[in-house]
Amino acid sequence: MSFEETIGHVAEVVEAVGVAILVVGALGAFAVFARDVFGRAEAAYVSLRRNLGRVILLGLEVLIIGDIIRTIVVAPTLEEVATLGSIVLIRIVLS
């Protein structure tokens, strides 16, 4: 197994962790929303948006790490760099 293949697998694992953060975090945010919506619907909605925003930012941070690893070591193509730039811009706008 070459160095590039090993780093490619590491990038895949990091990206899988990022996706898991997004899925589990979103499910948790919706669970908290479902718990709170009956008592105070407006506050529950504000809390849901805040929690989802936090989850998205954390998930994107981890996905960016995977993309940086892949772009620098494995496949430094123009398409990969453009994808990475787009993700970074989305992260900047969301924060």
Side-chain angles (χ1 to χ4, degrees):
M1 180 178 280
S2 70
F3 177 73
E4 288 82 13
E5 290 175 339
T6 303
I7 297 301
H9 291 305
V10 168
E12 289 175 2
V13 169
V14 170
E15 289 172 347
V17 169
V19 171
I21 288 170
L22 290 170
V23 171
V24 172
L27 290 174
F30 280 110
V32 170
F33 174 76
R35 182 193 68 197
D36 295 342
V37 74
F38 296 110
R40 45 192 180 97
E42 188 173 323
Y45 173 72
V46 171
S47 176
L48 173 66
R49 289 195 59 195
R50 184 179 58 246
N51 290 336
L52 282 176
R54 289 177 181 163
V55 166
I56 290 169
L57 287 175
L58 180 60
L60 281 177
E61 291 286 342
V62 175
L63 288 171
I64 288 170
I65 292 168
D67 282 338
I68 289 171
I69 292 169
R70 183 180 315 282
T71 301
I72 291 174
V73 176
V74 177
T77 64
L78 185 59
E79 183 178 333
E80 291 289 328
V81 172
T83 301
L84 178 60
S86 299
I87 293 171
V88 170
L89 285 175
I90 291 169
R91 198 288 185 212
I92 290 169
V93 169
L94 287 176
S95 66

